[in-house]
Amino acid sequence: MNCFEIKGLNLYYDKFHALKNIDLELESGKITAFIGPSGCGKSTLLKTLNRMNDLVEGCRITGDVRLFGEDIYDDTDVNLLRRRVGMVFQKPNPFPMSIFDNVAYGPRTHGIKSRFELGEIVESSLRAAAIWDEVKDRLKKPALSLSGGQQQRLCIARALAVSPEVLLMDEPTSALDPISTGKIEELLLTLREKYSIIIVTHNMQQATRISDSTAFFLLGEVIEYDSTETVFAMPRDQRTEDYITGRFG
Amino acid sequence: MMRRKRKTSEILLGAVTWFAAAVTIGLLLLLVGFILVRGVPHLKPSLFALHYNSDNVSLVPALISTIVIAIVSLVIAVPLGVFAAIYLAEYARRGNRAVAVIRMTTETLSGIPSIVYGLFGGLFFVVFLGWGYSVLAGAATLSIMILPLVMRSAEEALKSVPDTYREGSFGLGAGKLRTVLRIVLPSAVPGILAGVILAVGRIVGETAALIYTAGTVAQIPGSPMQSARTLSVHMYSLSSEGLHTDEGYATAVVLLVVVVLINALSARIAKRLGRRS
Ligand SMILES: Nc1ncnc2c1ncn2[C@@H]1O[C@H](COP(=O)(O)OP(=O)(O)O)[C@@H](O)[C@H]1O
Ligand SMILES: [Mg+2]
């Protein structure tokens, strides 16, 4: 089954044509990696999947994006869409409030008020993000007192707390040290069973370590999309090969 | 050659900056010292009587009126200024005509001498609306006077909240209103408070805008519709009457203490908020 089906997607920032005729089918319950040189539109495509581009003035989108068959640019409730399609950003961005309140923010947004229920959600989300043991004794402490790697896992917990179906991650480890990166990669492999994950990465090894499929982008176009093994072992396109072997700018 | 020249100019610059700093501090010490020397010996218990009469020239009613007028002014100006700033910073689209107009208006307003606010308040609140010389007319006038300051600092504070917070909130499915009220506004509170404290400073130091609006009655106001004088106006009256110059200096000492207290308190609040976030 596919979580996202994208057909004939074009995106413009004012006059600039940032995404060109994208056709992609992203499988659910898998990890899909987006790779490609800086500025090729990976983040832009990711943000069309939960309509974060709505916030950008002058951004125009044509084409068809479906989440489990529903057109998300039809008259969908954007807030509901973003609950179903969570996002983790490049730089960890916990809110300046306590660890507990960070994770509880999403559930509270969607109407959960009971302290008991919130406590359960916070604990299970922090456990799922493999950070519970590190923070269970200081849930009332400010989230900004955590280390960078912990902050990013907290942001993952925060995203999981609203029970999304898909997780979008935009270079979630690029600001982290190798040990924190390793922890997050392990975590993603455990999350794959329950969530569909789409991850942008600059790191080829990361793509091969964790992803099932890989899409290679260049100048706003999808050049190649296949199982990760195929893309890295026998790329069909010369440009893909150049990129993954590091012969590219 | 070059090195020698650089050295002389460096010494010269050092001397100039040292001199400027010394003059600044010296003047400040002179001023404070002068007020303390002239004022402290006249700090008599009668100055702190609950009721004013022309014998004791008590400053307590003026102190209370200062606090009341400051609070009423803030209650009017802070919500208005903060919500206007929220509109400007969070809701208005880029290049919006209304925003340009609002911005120009506030900039112009903040450059107007306070006596002009006083005259306007006197004509509008006191005469046209028939409020008479009153705490309410004075506070309303002051709130217009401090509105640009409050709005401007609130807007700056809101704008300096990182966009990553907004993205984080939207990304969880929160709407605009919730994002602004729960995430952006709390993060902006220290900056907003800094503006509010500057505004309090202007209120406490104001005379011209109050004389024509709140009047100069030296008793504790029984209602917002009664006239009252703040400490600064009280000092102005004492020194212009010329009968109680010594008590005027003693009052200045108290005003100085009030200002120092406000600064200390605000530093404390800023520190506490800074630690929390
Ligand atoms: N908000 C924006 N306004 C205008 N142009 C943008 C905006 N965001 C991105 N772009 C442009 O779109 C292209 C793709 O950007 P992005 O999706 O961020 O690339 P990537 O994530 O692959 O590095 C770049 O050329 C970038 O300059
Ligand atoms: Mg990017």
Side-chain angles (χ1 to χ4, degrees), chain A residues 50 52 55 57 79 82-83 85-87 89 93-97 102 105-106 108-110 142 144 158-159 162, chain B residues 92-95 163-176 178-180 182-183 187 275-277:
Chain A
N50 68 343
M52 287 296 265
L55 306 172
E57 270 177 55
N79 295 338
R82 293 187 187 141
R83 193 189 68 62
V85 183
M87 190 162 211
F89 300 83
N93 62 344
F95 301 130
M97 46 174 85
N102 259 279
Y105 181 80
R108 281 179 174 140
T109 298
H110 298 286
L144 294 173
R158 186 175 72 183
V162 292
Chain B
R93 305 192 128 246
R94 252 185 299 144
D163 270 337
T164 57
Y165 290 176
R166 297 181 181 84
E167 284 172 357
S169 177
F170 290 134
L172 288 164
K176 181 97 186 180
R178 183 171 168 83
T179 300
V180 169
R182 284 301 154 91
I183 303 293
S187 311
R275 203 170 334 118
R276 211 185 51 193
S277 55

Side-chain angles (χ1 to χ4, degrees), chain A residues 166-185:
Chain A
V166 184
L167 266 189
L168 309 176
M169 312 189 107
D170 194 350
E171 305 192 34
T173 61
S174 66
L176 305 181
D177 62 89
I179 293 176
S180 308
T181 300
K183 280 189 187 159
I184 288 189
E185 286 181 8

Side-chain angles (χ1 to χ4, degrees), chain B:
Chain B
M1 251 306 261
M2 277 305 280
R3 177 177 285 167
R4 179 97 156 276
K5 210 161 147 195
R6 178 124 134 255
K7 230 172 175 175
T8 348
S9 66
E10 254 168 39
I11 291 172
L12 200 70
L13 191 69
V16 169
T17 49
W18 186 89
F19 180 73
V23 168
T24 312
I25 293 170
L27 283 174
L28 190 69
L29 288 179
L30 187 71
L31 183 100
V32 173
F34 185 72
I35 291 173
L36 289 180
V37 168
R38 296 284 304 258
V40 170
H42 302 284
L43 281 171
K44 291 169 293 192
S46 63
L47 264 183
F48 299 94
L50 195 55
H51 292 286
Y52 170 95
N53 59 46
S54 51
D55 259 344
N56 67 9
V57 289
S58 165
L59 58 79
V60 169
L63 187 58
I64 292 172
S65 303
T66 307
I67 295 169
V68 171
I69 286 181
I71 289 175
V72 178
S73 308
L74 293 178
V75 164
I76 300 171
V78 171
L80 259 179
V82 169
F83 281 105
I86 288 178
Y87 170 72
L88 290 181
E90 304 292 328
Y91 284 91
R93 305 192 128 246
R94 252 185 299 144
N96 185 330
R97 257 293 164 71
V99 173
V101 172
I102 294 174
R103 209 155 273 143
M104 211 181 69
T105 315
T106 54
E107 225 117 278
T108 314
L109 279 178
S110 61
I112 293 178
S114 59
I115 181 73
V116 178
Y117 287 99
L119 291 174
F120 166 76
L123 286 174
F124 187 69
F125 297 119
V126 176
V127 178
F128 183 71
L129 293 185
W131 292 356
Y133 288 140
S134 59
V135 166
L136 193 62
T141 307
L142 289 187
S143 66
I144 298 174
M145 189 182 83
I146 62 171
L147 193 57
L149 179 64
V150 173
M151 200 165 124
R152 193 71 221 215
S153 57
E155 194 190 346
E156 290 304 317
L158 291 168
K159 280 189 170 158
S160 68
V161 175
D163 270 337
T164 57
Y165 290 176
R166 297 181 181 84
E167 284 172 357
S169 177
F170 290 134
L172 288 164
K176 181 97 186 180
L177 188 66
R178 183 171 168 83
T179 300
V180 169
L181 293 184
R182 284 301 154 91
I183 303 293
V184 182
L185 197 55
S187 311
V189 163
I192 294 174
L193 216 60
V196 168
I197 285 155
L198 283 178
V200 172
R202 285 197 64 183
I203 293 171
V204 170
E206 188 52 49
T207 50
L210 284 170
I211 290 168
Y212 298 111
T213 53
T216 54
V217 169
Q219 302 298 351
I220 298 172
S223 86
M225 301 320 286
Q226 287 180 14
S227 167
R229 59 162 77 156
T230 63
L231 264 182
S232 293
V233 175
H234 181 59
M235 268 188 63
Y236 168 76
S237 307
L238 289 186
S239 56
S240 62
E241 285 158 9
L243 295 172
H244 297 283
T245 318
D246 291 339
E247 286 83 352
Y249 278 106
T251 306
V253 172
V254 175
L255 187 57
L256 213 61
V257 170
V258 168
V259 171
V260 169
L261 278 181
I262 291 173
N263 279 342
L265 185 74
S266 58
R268 186 95 173 253
I269 293 173
K271 206 165 153 195
R272 177 160 304 167
L273 287 170
R275 203 170 334 118
R276 211 185 51 193
S277 55

